[in-house]
Amino acid sequence: MTIEQNISLKPLNTFGIEANAKYFARIEKLEDLQNLFNTHIYQQNPNFILGGGSNILITKDFEGL
């Protein structure tokens, strides 16, 4: 798992509106999630868990993970 910075959420946004996340991690297995919980980025920033992005409208940048 890698935590990326300043990632576009446009492909995950139902209407394709441009918005960015300050931090972004793609979780592919349980171990990734467990490791993420132990990072300072997860512990010190707002968090939002996004599924496939269907039926979600992100209208502004997210200043967290």
Side-chain angles (χ1 to χ4, degrees):
M1 173 209 57
T2 302
I3 297 177
E4 301 174 75
Q5 292 185 312
N6 301 316
I7 298 300
S8 173
L9 300 174
K10 186 176 181 176
L12 302 172
N13 197 340
T14 301
F15 291 101
I17 295 171
E18 188 60 55
N20 295 303
K22 183 175 181 180
Y23 300 105
F24 184 86
R26 187 172 305 275
I27 304 301
E28 296 183 8
K29 53 189 175 185
L30 180 58
E31 183 180 333
D32 292 340
L33 189 58
Q34 292 167 328
N35 290 335
L36 179 65
F37 291 155
N38 293 319
T39 66
H40 73 279
I41 291 173
Y42 177 83
Q43 294 172 2
Q44 297 176 1
N45 287 278
N47 300 287
F48 180 72
I49 297 175
L50 177 65
S54 179
N55 295 323
I56 190 159
L57 179 58
I58 304 167
T59 60
K60 62 182 180 178
D61 292 347
F62 183 69
E63 293 297 320
L65 173 71

